[in-house]
Structure formats: structure tokens, C-alpha cells
Amino acid sequence: MEPTARNVLGGPLRACSYDPLTGYFRDGCCHTGPHDAGRHVICAKVTAEFLAFSLERGNDLVTPRPEWRFAGLKPGDRWCLCALRWKEALQAGVAPPVILEATHEAALQVVSLAELQAHAWHPAGT
């Protein structure tokens, strides 16, 4: 895990979610490292469409897995997604909104900043 991780906008990497606790390292951030083969670097606000898409691809993010301390995701939860899965979802038209400040710069090795910005999540009133 890198202590000075940067986000896709060039600033410090912000937390994605502590509830549910996300990240490859389960530290709430989309940090990555050499053992993170899936590159869990895109902080997204998951949607029902994305969760169904992920399940169809064999990655069940909905079913609780207590043995992994995983309660299962529901629409609206923030989660560090694999960059390639997000790109697949983008190509399928079901990419969930992205929190740019919490998305690791390593995502730019897989998707463009323009693609991420086009799917940026903006809280109501901002």
C-alpha cells in the first residue's frame, strides 16, 4: 500500500467507504499494490444494474459472506471496483457512477479520465 497515493485528478486519494468497508486492503480506500491482480482502484456508487451485471459475470457482490466479513452490497453503496470490470460495465452501458477523488490514479491505465469524468457522481446540491 502506498502512503502518498494519488487520485485520478492528481490530488490525494480520499476514502471510498468505511461502511461497507471496501478496498483491496479493506482500509476504506481504493489503494492498490503488487498483489492486487484485479486492480480494485475505481470507487463507484453501485447501482442495481451494475450489481446484476457483475453477478452475470460470476462476481456476486450482493450475497452476504460472513466468513469474509462481507455483508453484501446494495444499490447506493460505495465500493472499490476492479478497473477492468468497470470498463466492461461501461461498454455494456451499466457503468456505475464514480467518485473521482476516491479513485486511484492507477485506473487511468485501463480507462481514460474523460470516461471517468463522464460518469462522475455528484452529490445533490453540488
Side-chain angles (χ1 to χ4, degrees):
M1 185 168 56
E2 63 282 71
T4 57
R6 312 298 292 171
N7 64 41
V8 293
L9 301 175
L13 185 66
R14 303 280 185 226
C16 181
S17 175
Y18 295 113
D19 185 20
L21 187 59
T22 191
Y24 177 76
F25 296 101
R26 291 299 190 264
D27 62 357
C29 294
C30 297
H31 289 118
T32 190
H35 299 292
D36 179 13
R39 305 298 264 175
H40 297 78
V41 294
I42 295 181
C43 180
K45 188 169 176 148
V46 297
T47 62
E49 295 79 14
F50 173 78
L51 291 171
F53 174 82
S54 186
L55 183 58
E56 289 172 6
R57 300 292 184 284
N59 187 17
D60 182 356
L61 296 173
V62 178
T63 303
R65 303 279 187 212
E67 67 274 21
W68 299 335
R69 296 182 302 156
F70 179 67
L73 299 179
K74 61 187 179 314
D77 285 343
R78 292 183 181 197
W79 196 249
C80 293
L81 300 178
C82 294
L84 285 173
R85 179 55 45 90
W86 189 87
K87 186 174 184 175
E88 288 175 4
L90 176 67
Q91 293 167 342
V94 294
V98 174
I99 295 86
L100 297 172
E101 296 80 8
T103 296
H104 194 286
E105 66 185 350
L108 298 175
Q109 296 168 1
V110 177
V111 296
S112 72
L113 180 57
E115 289 169 319
L116 293 169
Q117 287 174 322
H119 290 82
W121 177 71
H122 302 285
T126 61

